[in-house]
Amino acid sequence: MGGQKENIDLQELPRHVAIIMDGNGRWAKQKGNRRIFGHRKALKAVREVLEGGVDIGLEFVTLFTFSTENWKRPKAEVHALMELLVKTIRKEVPTLMENNIRLRSIGHIEDLPRRAQRELSTAMDLTKQNDGLVLTLALSYGGRSDILQAVNKVAHQVREGKLNPGAISEADLRAQMSTSYLPDPELMIRTSGEFRISNFLLWELAYAEFYITDKFWPDFAREDLYEAIVSYQNRERRFGMISEQLKTL
């Protein structure tokens, strides 16, 4: 029997899939382990999604890796996460190269430990010529913070006389956001059964289709990605219009 892949219309793929990778700690606790054990096991799910995405031709995948609010977690867990980040980026560069994946990042990267910043910068530089799937890691990222910094940049342009304050457009603001190189996500996946977006891509998710699964992130597999895409393709995306209007477009 075939899996969900055979049900996917490769001509109607979402260009950009954004994922909130939730449930690592709870997955580990269910198994009687420390939370960091779940974070370590989460890497398998990342590989599954990336290799599955490459296989069907996804263009952009953005992973909510560490939020601005995650700094409030216990110091021991944050330290372990940062150490894991350093080791993971270094270890995964060959896999990124093999799959023609370009690595990029959004968020307050300057807040990360310097070793993590260096590893991330090196990995992005090594993969910058890859022209396949673009993988964006949202690190020390918050949607509100990103909108605020964009507003400040637009205000600066107004002060310099480069923008008319009475004619600022959505495009003007969008151009100043860290995600300006990305198309808006058409599909947002969240694991662990939580129904919230947790300050993730607040502007960009305006018309995204949401797919929520009860699975914890370490258990998420390629087949789950494909199931989410099939669900997305079975929906009617109206963008504020009615079905009859869509038929005339």
Side-chain angles (χ1 to χ4, degrees):
M1 295 180 60
Q4 288 285 5
K5 182 181 176 181
E6 66 184 28
N7 297 322
I8 293 175
D9 181 351
L10 297 179
Q11 303 305 312
E12 296 293 336
L13 291 172
R15 290 189 67 202
H16 182 184
V17 177
I19 304 176
I20 299 178
M21 307 179 293
D22 196 19
N24 295 342
R26 280 169 285 168
W27 180 88
K29 288 178 71 175
Q30 279 188 358
K31 298 181 181 303
N33 288 293
R34 292 184 304 150
R35 291 174 56 85
I36 192 61
F37 178 74
H39 296 305
R40 292 194 186 105
K41 291 298 180 182
L43 180 57
K44 178 178 179 292
V46 172
R47 289 199 193 104
E48 287 270 326
V49 164
L50 294 181
E51 291 175 358
V54 168
D55 192 32
I56 60 174
L58 288 183
E59 295 181 61
F60 301 91
V61 171
T62 298
L63 303 179
F64 202 7
T65 310
F66 193 86
S67 75
T68 48
E69 289 75 28
N70 286 156
W71 292 110
K72 300 174 186 176
R73 292 186 175 186
K75 289 184 178 180
E77 181 175 346
V78 171
H79 177 75
L81 279 169
M82 292 299 109
E83 288 296 311
L84 181 60
L85 177 64
V86 168
K87 293 175 182 176
T88 299
I89 293 173
R90 182 183 305 157
K91 181 180 178 182
E92 293 303 308
V93 167
T95 301
L96 297 177
M97 297 301 294
E98 180 182 338
N99 286 283
N100 194 30
I101 295 171
R102 181 178 182 182
L103 180 65
R104 300 194 68 169
S105 67
I106 55 175
H108 295 280
I109 306 304
E110 69 279 3
D111 292 341
L112 300 177
R114 289 188 179 181
R115 283 203 306 147
Q117 293 183 46
R118 287 195 298 268
E119 292 293 341
L120 181 61
S121 178
T122 298
M124 290 194 295
D125 188 59
L126 289 171
T127 63
K128 67 182 180 182
Q129 299 302 323
N130 292 346
D131 57 4
L133 185 150
V134 176
L135 168 63
T136 299
L137 301 182
L139 288 160
S140 192
Y141 172 86
R144 287 181 174 179
S145 175
D146 200 39
I147 293 171
L148 180 60
Q149 65 84 28
V151 168
N152 282 320
K153 288 181 179 179
V154 168
H156 183 71
Q157 290 181 317
V158 169
R159 284 196 302 271
E160 291 187 332
K162 295 178 180 179
L163 279 179
N164 180 345
I168 296 170
S169 67
E170 287 189 10
D172 292 326
L173 185 62
R174 187 76 172 86
Q176 300 305 323
M177 298 181 72
S178 65
T179 55
S180 59
Y181 66 94
L182 291 166
D184 286 346
E186 292 95 341
L187 173 62
M188 193 282 282
I189 298 170
R190 179 163 190 154
T191 56
S192 86
E194 300 289 354
F195 287 81
R196 56 179 178 270
I197 56 176
S198 298
N199 199 20
F200 182 46
L201 301 177
L202 297 182
W203 178 283
E204 298 84 353
L205 289 175
Y207 277 101
E209 297 293 328
F210 287 14
Y211 180 85
I212 311 295
T213 174
D214 287 333
K215 282 191 174 183
F216 292 139
W217 178 248
D219 289 328
F220 197 83
R222 179 185 299 217
E223 189 69 9
D224 297 303
L225 170 67
Y226 293 162
E227 183 176 316
I229 292 173
V230 170
S231 173
Y232 161 84
Q233 292 183 336
N234 285 329
R235 302 179 193 182
E236 181 182 69
R237 307 187 71 214
R238 295 192 296 272
F239 301 97
M241 295 181 285
I242 63 174
S243 300
E244 288 74 13
Q245 288 176 296
L246 295 176
K247 294 174 183 176
T248 65
L249 294 178

